[in-house]
Amino acid sequence: MDKSSPTPPTTDKQAERLKELSTAKVWRILLKYSLPAVTGTVVMALYNIIDSIVIGHAIDDPNVVAGIAVTFPVQNLGTAFGMLIGAGAATRISIVLGQNDHHRAALILGNSVQLTILIGVLYTTVFAIFLDPLLRLFGASDASLPYAREFLMWVLPGMVLMNLTFSYNNVMRATGYPARAMWTNLIGAGLNCILAPLFLFGFKWGIKGAAIATDISMVVTAFFVMSHFFRKSSTLHFERGTFRFDWRIISSIVYIGMSPFLINVAGSCINAVINNTLVRYGGDNAVAAVVVFNRYVTVFVFVVIGICQGMQPILGYNYGARKYDRLFRTLKLAILSSVTITTIGSVLGATNAETIAKLFMQDADQINCAVNCLHITTIGFWIVGFQIVATNYFQSLGMAAKSIFLSLTRQIIFMIPMLLILPPIFGLNGVWMCFPIGDYLSSIVATFMLVWQIKRIKREPART
């Protein structure tokens, strides 16, 4: 379809889905979009949490937990490539729908899906070829490398499907289907909950059993997500002529998607530095301890991400429609909800550290190390909810450069210098101290940027 062939008009029901973004009560529409998103993202977090718990108890070797730990940065890199396109597409689609440009939204969808598949095939091929050097880079030792290699070799085939599932789940939500997006993740996590223990304990497949369970879940959920966009009854669906690459559209997608991409890349880089520092100051037990921290906070972080996913189409649509009062009310409500969630996580982590550690590991030395890790790292976790919302606010409005800068403050600008300074002075505790200090410093920067940007938008003419 060329630019002279307009997209067919939406039905009354489809139009109503979009109209409510700018007319329904803010708390009600945020709850409608965020609740399914929170359910979906928390369930999504269970993929890796379930794998970690089941593997930690099914295989009687403390090195297996450290082996799983060093696979996370590699998986994060794969997620980064998916979000480069998927997150950028979801944001652009929300904004252009707010401008009532359905044809351009369809073009964005067609271009982004092709690009996701192409990039996915490329990065999984490169990862498979250079797997051992990658794992060594991210902190694998001689003892943990065999477990890490076996797990990733079986997970890699499903990573492209994982990109399709999670990225276009966001697009589904952004076009008015939050409940359907939630069911995608529920189906996948439900399958993983059943298959992972079955393959590990029942079939005795070892660590590859957890990976195969994840792959099967991804096949099912990717089919579920993609089938949504083949339905002509969907607000946004695949259309003939919208699959030709348009480099202007691709550049606009990549520009916005660069923020979550760099967040994940930065996370992988900082994990490489952290894991190697942990090996130096605490050995594989310390690497295993950071698994417990990451897996624990993932639950609360993913709740906040769910709130941000619910917030994103509301902000994008109302920014495109220049309804700034609704934009600011949505932002305030999202910040309050998110900080409440991460504060709960901070308190529970500090007061229940031993119970949390025992969920993931059996070795007494590893448990003691994980307890100490949680006591220190959760001190600043309460403020993380604000930082995540602030970063997503700029991304939702298409302000990619500001979002990218905020995404890098904690991971690169603050954490890496502190990892070079504190561990030589305080040893292993110095590594753990970098987490709360980075949280506080990056949140201060986010506060100044957010206040400044809000003042700028308030000076622009609004539409009632």
Side-chain angles (χ1 to χ4, degrees):
M1 181 181 292
D2 57 29
K3 290 185 178 181
S4 64
S5 303
T7 300
T10 56
T11 65
D12 291 341
K13 188 175 181 180
Q14 292 168 346
E16 188 63 31
R17 284 198 181 95
L18 297 176
K19 184 180 178 182
E20 67 177 357
L21 291 170
S22 63
T23 58
K25 289 183 181 297
V26 167
W27 69 267
R28 184 172 294 164
I29 192 66
L30 182 61
L31 184 65
K32 177 179 178 179
Y33 273 70
S34 291
L35 189 58
V38 167
T39 304
T41 53
V42 170
V43 168
M44 184 174 74
L46 292 177
Y47 275 103
N48 290 327
I49 291 173
I50 291 167
D51 285 345
S52 298
I53 292 174
V54 172
I55 290 169
H57 289 276
I59 302 174
D60 189 18
D61 184 346
N63 293 310
V64 72
V65 182
I68 293 297
V70 297
T71 69
F72 298 152
V74 181
Q75 294 182 74
N76 281 343
L77 281 177
T79 301
F81 284 108
M83 294 187 74
L84 174 66
I85 309 304
T91 300
R92 287 297 305 155
I93 285 170
S94 291
I95 293 173
V96 300
L97 287 176
Q99 298 166 343
N100 200 31
D101 191 344
H102 290 263
H103 173 64
R104 190 162 185 83
L107 287 171
I108 293 169
L109 178 66
N111 275 255
S112 60
V113 168
Q114 293 180 94
L115 206 57
T116 299
I117 296 171
L118 176 63
I119 292 175
V121 171
L122 289 174
Y123 82 71
T124 52
T125 302
V126 172
F127 284 6
I129 294 171
F130 299 102
L131 190 56
D132 276 17
L134 268 176
L135 292 171
R136 289 287 190 186
L137 176 65
F138 290 122
S141 65
D142 291 338
S144 62
L145 180 62
Y147 291 114
R149 182 196 303 118
E150 182 178 9
F151 183 75
L152 264 186
M153 281 304 296
W154 286 93
V155 163
L156 279 176
M159 289 184 71
V160 178
L161 298 175
M162 190 178 294
N163 291 155
L164 288 173
T165 295
F166 297 145
S167 295
Y168 296 93
N169 216 23
N170 292 336
V171 176
M172 188 190 298
R173 186 181 299 105
T175 53
Y177 299 88
R180 190 174 294 177
M182 174 190 71
W183 277 106
T184 303
N185 290 328
L186 286 174
I187 291 169
L191 273 176
N192 204 41
C193 285
I194 296 169
L195 296 178
L198 175 64
F199 293 165
L200 275 159
F201 292 106
F203 294 175
K204 307 292 184 185
W205 284 356
I207 199 170
K208 73 177 182 182
I212 293 172
T214 300
D215 289 340
I216 293 174
S217 300
M218 284 299 103
V219 170
V220 174
T221 52
F223 175 81
F224 187 84
V225 170
M226 289 295 103
S227 66
H228 167 84
F229 294 105
F230 279 99
R231 296 192 186 102
K232 290 189 176 180
S233 59
S234 297
T235 302
L236 184 66
H237 51 268
F238 296 128
E239 297 175 14
R240 185 176 301 170
T242 59
F243 290 95
R244 288 198 302 269
F245 278 133
D246 183 323
W247 295 109
R248 288 175 297 179
I249 288 176
I250 290 172
S251 64
S252 71
I253 292 170
V254 171
Y255 177 70
I256 296 175
M258 191 61 69
S259 174
F261 171 76
L262 288 177
I263 290 174
N264 281 274
V265 171
S268 294
C269 292
I270 197 68
N271 277 332
V273 177
I274 289 172
N275 286 346
N276 282 283
T277 307
L278 288 173
V279 169
R280 188 180 312 126
Y281 289 95
D284 282 341
N285 283 350
V287 177
V290 85
V291 173
V292 177
F293 168 71
N294 284 333
R295 285 294 169 257
Y296 170 70
V297 299
T298 291
V299 177
F300 300 94
V301 167
F302 272 50
V303 172
V304 175
I305 290 174
I307 293 171
C308 290
Q309 288 181 352
M311 173 187 78
Q312 180 266 318
I314 304 171
L315 294 186
Y317 191 93
N318 284 285
Y319 182 67
R322 300 210 312 270
K323 295 192 173 184
Y324 300 139
D325 180 59
R326 291 180 61 80
L327 184 149
F328 295 137
R329 280 185 283 149
T330 303
L331 174 64
K332 290 177 183 178
L333 191 55
I335 289 173
L336 178 62
S337 304
S338 299
V339 172
T340 300
I341 294 300
T342 49
T343 300
I344 293 171
S346 184
V347 172
L348 292 178
T351 56
N352 297 275
E354 185 173 353
T355 302
I356 294 166
K358 287 181 177 177
L359 282 175
F360 295 90
M361 50 186 53
Q362 306 174 63
D363 183 79
D365 291 336
Q366 283 188 345
I367 290 171
N368 290 334
C369 188
V371 168
N372 183 51
C373 166
L374 285 170
H375 282 157
I376 299 174
T377 53
T378 53
I379 292 172
F381 182 66
W382 68 274
I383 196 65
V384 168
F386 167 75
Q387 187 197 2
I388 295 173
V389 173
T391 303
N392 278 269
Y393 167 81
F394 288 107
Q395 179 189 325
S396 297
L397 271 55
M399 300 175 184
K402 296 180 178 67
S403 182
I404 290 168
F405 175 74
L406 278 183
S407 70
L408 296 178
T409 53
R410 180 185 183 272
Q411 308 282 49
I412 303 296
I413 297 174
F414 296 129
M415 286 283 285
I416 288 183
M418 286 188 293
L419 283 166
L420 298 175
I421 297 169
L422 297 182
I425 301 172
F426 300 102
L428 181 57
N429 283 344
V431 182
W432 305 138
M433 290 163 61
C434 294
F435 288 82
I437 294 173
D439 293 334
Y440 285 121
L441 291 177
S442 55
S443 294
I444 290 171
V445 174
T447 300
F448 281 108
M449 288 188 61
L450 194 61
V451 170
W452 176 77
Q453 188 62 47
I454 288 172
K455 287 180 179 178
R456 284 199 64 181
I457 292 180
K458 283 183 176 179
R459 291 196 292 266
E460 296 180 9
R463 184 182 299 162
T464 58

